[in-house]
Amino acid sequence: MPPSPSPAAAAMPVSAAAAVAADEYTPRSILITGAAGFIASHVTNRLVREHPTYRVVALDKLDYCGSVRNLSPATRSSPSFSFVRGDVGSTDLVLHLLAAERIDTVLHFAAQTHVDNSFGNSLEFTKSNVLATHSLLESCRLHGLIRRFVHVSTDEVYGETGAAGDAADEEESRLLPSNPYSASKAAAEMLVMAYARSYGIPAITTRGNNVYGPRQFPEKLIPKFILLAIRGEPLPVHGDGSHVRSYLYVEDVAEAFDVLLHRGHVGGVYNIGTTRERRVVDVARHVCGMFGLDPEVAVTAVSDRPFNDRRYFIDDKKLKALGWEERTPWEEGMRKTVEWYVKHGEEWWGDVSAALLPHPRMLTPQQNFDTMAMNNFDFE
């Protein structure tokens, strides 16, 4: 059974009591949604490895970018780990898992995350990121035993950061999403906030910048560039490639979630990021250098997104105050990442040719209408 709060904590307001409890929180049974995806699988494997007494249940519907192979370290090393294939939006399934496993902690990673795809199929992002989050929250409310609900969001909810030299976005900054993906993640955050205030769901929200490393599906920038370089094909950059992003190595991010789970304060929002920035075109050139390619030949410009934020820049002081710090230099992280893709190539997921295109295939208006019909949207 979860430990009872101390008499002093019980007499405090809820927010103050939660802050005290945060320093001594130990989960017992954890449900991780979207666990077969890129970041979530690294977090899952770390928690199983570093905390062998925890019960860890991985839930994933195995969409195109998820793979049970991502969870092989956890599967091999712990009898207290289990994988369930299913949709987080299925209330019956989630309620069953929460009750059967006596879940007290939820790490909610499950989401559609690729911005390019959101321009062509935005309704699916609302379904996966907003409706499914609402369903999960309702299941947790009915379950009544959740002591931590860590909601994974993105730095893109802040919208575009100003030019270099402007202040970084802090956790209290306004949310100004600028594309369908970030809008769906902002909407999901509002539902988490509402359930925290109305029903006492003990939520912590994270907003992270770009992440890279082994086992990332190659629709994302860095693995796409690496696999194209292996093929000897051009590396496409949107527009002039001057868009600026910050990149964290995935194992550093997994450590950040470990820290937040055990030391994060209920009700808190935490940026997970780095202040080191790179232009997209410079990332492409770096990959060229690792493969001995001439960037003047290999890097090619393609049409930009319908809207492409020029820069994201977040302040990570709040997370650092909990004891976390970035450990992996860019050069080391890229070396490890390239080594993994050179070893495994494209066979990890099967045919990924479509993901390596400069842009995903956009849906026509009729295809969007058909998607709405399949998802039972009301047209009246």
Side-chain angles (χ1 to χ4, degrees), residues 77-95:
S77 64
S78 176
S80 62
F81 170 79
S82 63
F83 174 78
V84 177
R85 182 171 185 174
D87 192 335
V88 70
S90 171
T91 305
D92 288 345
L93 171 62
V94 173
L95 275 173

Side-chain angles (χ1 to χ4, degrees), residues 37-56:
F38 170 50
I39 300 174
S41 65
H42 283 270
V43 173
T44 301
N45 292 332
R46 178 186 174 88
L47 291 177
V48 169
R49 180 181 70 246
E50 300 293 330
H51 307 283
T53 61
Y54 297 173
R55 172 71 175 149
V56 177

Side-chain angles (χ1 to χ4, degrees), residues 124-318:
E124 184 62 28
F125 278 64
T126 299
K127 177 183 176 184
S128 297
N129 298 353
V130 184
L131 294 180
T133 298
H134 194 172
S135 178
L136 176 63
L137 287 164
E138 183 65 7
S139 297
C140 290
R141 181 186 71 84
L142 294 172
H143 177 55
L145 297 177
I146 299 302
R147 298 173 57 224
R148 286 294 184 280
F149 185 101
V150 179
H151 176 66
V152 182
S153 191
T154 170
D155 63 350
E156 296 197 32
V157 298
Y158 295 121
E160 190 172 57
T161 308
D166 287 2
D169 286 305
E170 298 180 343
E171 286 84 355
E172 294 76 21
S173 300
R174 285 197 303 163
L175 304 190
L176 297 168
S178 58
N179 58 62
Y181 161 63
S182 57
S184 70
K185 294 299 288 185
E189 282 197 34
M190 297 302 101
L191 283 166
V192 173
M193 181 188 301
Y195 267 72
R197 291 182 175 177
S198 295
Y199 302 116
I201 296 294
I204 296 171
T205 296
T206 71
R207 297 173 184 152
N209 62 200
N210 290 34
V211 182
Y212 72 99
R215 303 198 300 270
Q216 186 173 31
F217 189 72
E219 66 187 358
K220 300 294 188 181
L221 183 80
I222 289 176
K224 176 182 287 190
F225 283 170
I226 292 172
L227 288 183
L228 288 172
I230 292 172
R231 286 182 169 197
E233 297 181 9
L235 278 56
V237 298
H238 290 154
D240 62 5
S242 63
H243 308 89
V244 176
R245 300 291 186 264
S246 300
Y247 300 89
L248 267 178
Y249 188 63
V250 67
E251 287 299 334
D252 292 351
V253 176
E255 182 180 359
F257 279 100
D258 194 339
V259 169
L260 283 168
L261 176 60
H262 296 93
R263 304 178 202 165
H265 291 247
V266 169
V269 178
Y270 295 88
N271 289 334
I272 302 176
T274 174
T275 57
R276 297 177 175 87
E277 299 180 285
R278 285 173 175 81
R279 297 185 305 165
V280 169
V281 68
D282 293 330
V283 174
R285 290 170 177 165
H286 186 94
V287 173
C288 285
M290 298 183 76
F291 286 89
L293 303 176
D294 181 357
E296 299 304 319
V297 176
V299 178
T300 60
V302 299
S303 59
D304 209 345
R305 293 170 175 168
F307 180 80
N308 197 349
D309 290 315
R310 304 297 298 182
R311 181 179 183 236
Y312 303 120
F313 191 52
I314 56 177
D315 186 313
D316 62 353
K317 292 196 298 290
K318 191 173 177 182

Side-chain angles (χ1 to χ4, degrees), residues 322-340:
L322 297 181
W324 176 87
E325 63 180 359
E326 180 182 4
R327 298 184 186 277
T328 309
W330 167 256
E331 290 75 14
E332 179 185 346
M334 284 296 291
R335 177 184 57 78
K336 291 179 178 179
T337 303
V338 166
E339 287 175 353
W340 188 90

